[in-house]
């Protein structure tokens, strides 16, 4: 769409789909050979992740708005995927034991996010440190205050830790990434 060439990964995915379709056509005896079997796909270089150092992370958290600062801290402390962070409910957080349970994930679709089981379809329980739990509690207080200001009353245990603007859905993945 942008006029740029496809990435090697995109070409490999497209090739895989075409190869599978042509293999099915061969099995159904619609064609005698699969030309995709001899096609060469481009080599892709391994992706090099650029991980910020601790000072850079602290600086980012210091200037981030409260919701994003908490999400960043949780991502670092737990290793959770952004979809797992977005699907957290207050009932998934045990403040006394400092445990966070990841059992669902956000999938973008249409105007509101959809929630499904985690990518691995497993439930993970992660222990976090005091500073991370303090950040979560600060976010809860901030969110409770904001909810009361707009007339939503108290937040229930079934509420989203990172709700959408209408409070009825979790954030979309793009909001988690771009906000």
């Amino acid at each position: 769409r942008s006029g740029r060439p496809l990435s090697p990964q995109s070409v490999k995915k497209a090739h895989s789909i075409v190869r599978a379709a042509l293999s099915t056509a061969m099995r159904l005896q619609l064609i005698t050979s699969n030309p995709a079997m001899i096609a060469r796909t481009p080599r892709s270089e391994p992706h090099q992740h650029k991980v910020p150092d601790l000072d850079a992370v602290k600086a980012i958290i210091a200037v981030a708005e409260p919701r994003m600062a908490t999400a960043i801290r949780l991502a670092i402390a737990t290793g959770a995927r952004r979809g797992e962070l977005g699907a957290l409910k207050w009932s998934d957080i045990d403040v006394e034991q400092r445990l966070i349970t990841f059992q669902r994930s956000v999938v973008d679709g249409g105007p509101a996010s959809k929630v499904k089981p985690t990518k691995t379809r497993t439930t993970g329980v992660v222990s976090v440190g005091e500073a991370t739990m303090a950040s979560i509690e600060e976010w809860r207080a901030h969110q409770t205050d904001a909810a009361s200001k707009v007339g939503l009353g108290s937040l229930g245990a079934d509420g989203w830790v990172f709700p959408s603007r209408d409070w009825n859905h979790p954030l979309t993945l793009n909001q988690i990434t771009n906000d």
Side-chain angles (χ1 to χ4, degrees), residues 48-125:
Q48 297 295 321
H49 294 282
K50 295 177 185 173
V51 180
D53 62 23
L54 185 56
D55 290 334
V57 172
K58 286 179 180 179
I60 291 167
I61 290 173
V63 298
E65 53 96 10
R67 176 183 66 189
M68 196 50 53
T70 304
I72 293 167
R73 185 181 286 273
L74 270 173
I76 291 166
T78 65
R81 295 175 171 91
R82 66 183 178 152
E84 293 169 341
L85 291 171
L88 272 178
K89 292 189 174 192
W90 288 112
S91 58
D92 297 326
I93 299 174
D94 182 339
V95 175
E96 288 78 33
Q97 299 291 316
R98 293 195 330 252
L99 297 174
I100 300 176
T101 302
F102 295 98
Q103 54 189 332
R104 65 191 83 75
S105 185
V106 171
V107 178
D108 281 345
S113 295
K114 295 177 181 151
V115 179
K116 65 171 193 146
T118 61
K119 184 175 181 177
T120 58
R121 299 199 179 283
T122 59
T123 297
V125 179

Side-chain angles (χ1 to χ4, degrees), residues 7-28:
S7 72
Q9 282 303 105
S10 294
V11 172
K12 285 183 178 192
K13 285 179 186 177
H15 177 260
S16 175
I17 292 167
V18 170
R19 187 180 67 225
L22 292 173
S23 290
T24 299
M26 277 184 60
R27 261 193 325 276
L28 297 173

Side-chain angles (χ1 to χ4, degrees), residues 114-166:
K114 295 177 181 151
V115 179
K116 65 171 193 146
T118 61
K119 184 175 181 177
T120 58
R121 299 199 179 283
T122 59
T123 297
V125 179
V126 180
S127 176
V128 297
E130 289 180 29
T132 299
M133 192 52 73
S135 175
I136 292 168
E137 288 179 293
E138 286 175 30
W139 170 240
R140 174 77 187 231
H142 179 84
Q143 192 183 52
T144 300
D145 184 51
S148 68
K149 284 180 181 175
V150 295
L152 292 175
S154 64
L155 299 173
D158 213 33
W160 302 106
V161 174
F162 303 110
S164 62
R165 285 174 181 52
D166 69 2

